[in-house]
Amino acid sequence: MTSLAVANPGSLIQSVDWVAIAPPLIAAAAAVAVLVTDLFLPERHKKWLGRLTAAGLALALIALLPLTGKSPRATFCVQNVAGGTGNGGCSYVADHFALVFQLLALGGALIAALLSTHTVDNEKLPRGEYWFLLLSSATGAALLPASRDLATMVVALEVASLPAFALVALRRDGRGAEAALKFFVSSVTATAVMLLGIGFVYAASGSLHLGAVAQGLEHAPAQLKPLAEAGAVLTLVGFAFKVAAVPFHFWVPDTYTGAPLPVAGYLSVVGKAAGLSGLALATTIAFRPYAHTWGLVLAVLAAVTMTVGNAGALRQRFDTRYSAVRLLAWSSVGQAGYLLVPLAAAGYAPTGADPLGATAAYALIYGVVNLGAFGVVAAVCRRAGASVDDFRGLFARRRWTALALAFFLLCLAGLPPGVIGLFGKVVVFRAAVDAGLGWLAVVMAANVVVALYYYLLWTARLFAPVAEGAASGEAVGDAGGERRLPVGLTATLGLTASAAVVLSVAPQLVLQVTSGSLF
């Protein structure tokens, strides 16, 4: 009879660091609480579900504070090791990298929740389902940056993605279902390709933990290296899809226009942050032995993505329906190209610390101002079908709203007084130059100049005079002057505008993440 006893049974039992996993755990608990509460609340009291969602996300953000110490905290480890990514044996590590992207994911989800309060009422979306799906997706987006094995990363990516499909489909005007179908089919295809790649990587390295994968690939037999290289490329496809990098971007314009406005803003920031964090972890830790290969691939991908995104934005007509959201969608594709530049630079750097810091800093800046821009679109037009021309003369009707949008657009363009946007682009540009990617820096500089055209053209419309009885005044429905905004929209614009102004005055608050190692 075979004995199943082990020499040290206690080694099979490990304690869970509940403080380390608190941020995504609180978001998940809030999702369950919303789902259960929705069963018992009468319809007239279901507006409290939105407040419960915002409170849960706020608590998840507060749970990040105990983790801001110097040493990372790790849990779900294969062996008895202290925290850190270098050991290669832990599935969850709360280091500086994870905290920065968890801040972006949970903070972006909170702003999207505030932005959603009016939309859920106005479009008569199912409250319980909407808030549950938003919290579930935010849980996956917060889990992904702390994941340190490929299996956990796939689970986190799918937890972030699957609820997002349903969120897009909640609009009942026919466009939502079509947008969700395009989003779903393209995402499932990318995930299938990524899983095939992970299988190849596991076969070549013998492990799923990122640190162990790097060691396995470095010492893999020569006959397995083609399999490992193919697996690395296929694995990155799923993350590139979430980032909306070309050629995996085709779903973005149609999905954003078909989704409720807050969901489009959420996908443009939180969905992109999740994909970016996964891409950074997979490349700089697991596939470090192939750094020069994926560094060149990401550099080409960044150049093509920013060029295609800006070209799509330039082709967008300002007088057509949905042009406001479509312009922001193409802009987000172009911004994804800028976000990929430091990741490409990490492939040529001795360590990935400084380039990754540039990516994290720019992602935080982009997240604040892009959600603010979506907030203004929701506040002014109250519908996704608005055109850019609907914003003509906005300054005469809604002075502070127009100034907020102008500031957000100038931040995205990288022009004063949007100083934080300028600093962000300089940091990204410097990462490319320091890595010896001069040609990529030139491509980025050219695209920044091209993007100025459509950002400034939209900004100019805000202050343009409007003839009496013009269609744009009727479209927005507020020609009579400034009206009080709903509380959720006011909170969204107040938070994003205040954050953008503070960061422009004191950019070191966010740019300090570029000065040290995130791991």
Side-chain angles (χ1 to χ4, degrees):
M1 180 175 180
T2 303
S3 175
L4 299 179
V6 294
N8 184 14
S11 64
L12 299 179
I13 302 174
Q14 58 173 291
S15 60
V16 177
D17 189 342
W18 296 103
V19 175
I21 66 173
L25 185 62
I26 291 174
V32 175
V34 165
L35 186 64
V36 174
T37 305
D38 179 54
L39 298 175
F40 300 99
L41 273 183
E43 187 64 33
R44 64 181 182 277
H45 294 316
K46 287 192 176 182
K47 63 182 179 180
W48 285 97
L49 296 176
R51 299 172 187 176
L52 178 59
T53 299
L57 291 169
L59 285 176
L61 283 170
I62 294 173
L64 294 174
L65 295 177
L67 303 174
T68 55
K70 292 185 178 180
S71 59
R73 304 177 67 151
T75 189
F76 302 115
C77 299
V78 174
Q79 50 191 339
N80 185 20
V81 292
T85 58
N87 57 69
C90 296
S91 294
Y92 187 100
V93 178
D95 53 15
H96 293 155
F97 176 88
L99 296 184
V100 169
F101 279 94
Q102 284 180 338
L103 172 65
L104 179 56
L106 295 172
L110 176 59
I111 294 174
L114 295 174
L115 185 58
S116 299
T117 53
H118 173 75
T119 302
V120 170
D121 292 336
N122 195 42
E123 299 190 14
K124 295 180 173 56
L125 301 178
R127 299 174 186 271
E129 292 87 337
Y130 185 93
W131 298 119
F132 169 73
L133 292 169
L134 182 65
L135 283 166
S136 299
S137 180
T139 299
L143 174 62
L144 186 52
S147 303
R148 291 300 183 272
D149 70 71
L150 293 173
T152 306
M153 291 174 71
V154 171
V155 171
L157 186 65
E158 291 308 297
V159 171
S161 301
L162 292 175
F165 305 148
L167 282 172
V168 173
L170 285 181
R171 282 184 64 187
R172 306 297 174 83
D173 60 353
R175 297 185 65 93
E178 180 184 354
L181 181 61
K182 291 179 180 179
F183 187 20
F184 174 76
V185 171
S186 53
S187 178
V188 167
T189 303
T191 301
V193 173
M194 181 175 63
L195 289 173
L196 178 62
I198 290 175
F200 288 170
V201 170
Y202 178 71
S205 65
S207 177
L208 290 176
H209 286 89
L210 301 184
V213 167
Q215 296 177 7
L217 294 180
E218 193 169 2
H219 301 95
Q223 62 267 29
L224 290 181
K225 285 192 175 180
L227 181 70
E229 292 172 353
V233 172
L234 295 177
T235 300
L236 299 182
V237 168
F239 300 118
F241 168 84
K242 291 296 291 183
V243 176
V246 174
F248 312 106
H249 71 291
F250 51 85
W251 58 276
V252 173
D254 290 338
T255 298
Y256 284 17
T257 54
L261 272 173
V263 176
Y266 174 86
L267 291 175
S268 73
V269 173
V270 180
K272 192 176 266 73
L276 190 66
S277 63
L279 193 63
L281 290 171
T283 52
T284 58
I285 299 180
F287 304 143
R288 191 68 199 175
Y290 305 143
H292 286 284
T293 301
W294 58 253
L296 178 60
V297 171
L298 288 182
V300 174
L301 204 63
V304 175
T305 298
M306 65 179 75
T307 302
V308 171
N310 287 322
L314 286 175
R315 294 183 57 198
Q316 185 62 54
R317 291 181 54 185
F318 284 8
D319 59 347
T320 58
R321 287 193 70 198
Y322 300 97
S323 61
V325 175
R326 291 186 73 88
L327 188 63
L328 288 175
W330 283 113
S331 166
S332 73
V333 174
Q335 297 288 342
Y338 305 145
L339 288 167
L340 290 174
V341 170
L343 283 185
Y348 296 87
T351 63
D354 289 344
L356 286 187
T359 290
Y362 194 83
L364 288 171
I365 296 166
Y366 163 77
V368 170
V369 297
N370 206 61
L371 278 172
F374 271 99
V376 173
V377 173
V380 173
C381 302
R382 312 288 178 87
R383 57 187 174 87
S387 70
V388 174
D389 280 344
D390 288 341
F391 291 79
R392 183 182 295 275
L394 180 63
F395 182 75
R397 303 187 303 274
R398 292 182 176 275
R399 177 170 302 177
W400 295 110
T401 306
L403 290 175
L405 180 56
F407 188 64
F408 294 140
L409 293 175
L410 291 176
C411 285
L412 289 171
L415 287 178
V419 176
I420 190 60
L422 175 62
F423 272 89
K425 284 184 169 56
V426 169
V427 168
V428 172
F429 187 86
R430 186 180 65 184
V433 173
D434 291 345
L437 295 172
W439 66 270
L440 183 57
V442 171
V443 173
M444 177 182 172
N447 274 279
V448 169
V449 173
V450 170
L452 291 178
Y453 175 76
Y454 59 84
Y455 285 130
L456 290 179
L457 210 58
W458 191 350
T459 304
R461 273 169 166 70
L462 302 176
F463 304 95
V466 181
E468 186 175 354
S472 60
E474 298 169 1
V476 294
D478 60 358
E482 192 89 13
R483 291 192 310 176
R484 185 180 297 276
L485 292 175
V487 175
L489 294 178
T490 303
T492 299
L493 296 185
L495 281 175
T496 53
S498 299
V501 170
V502 169
L503 293 178
S504 292
V505 174
Q508 67 274 12
L509 293 177
V510 66
L511 296 182
Q512 64 184 351
V513 302
T514 66
S515 60
S517 174
L518 292 181
F519 293 117

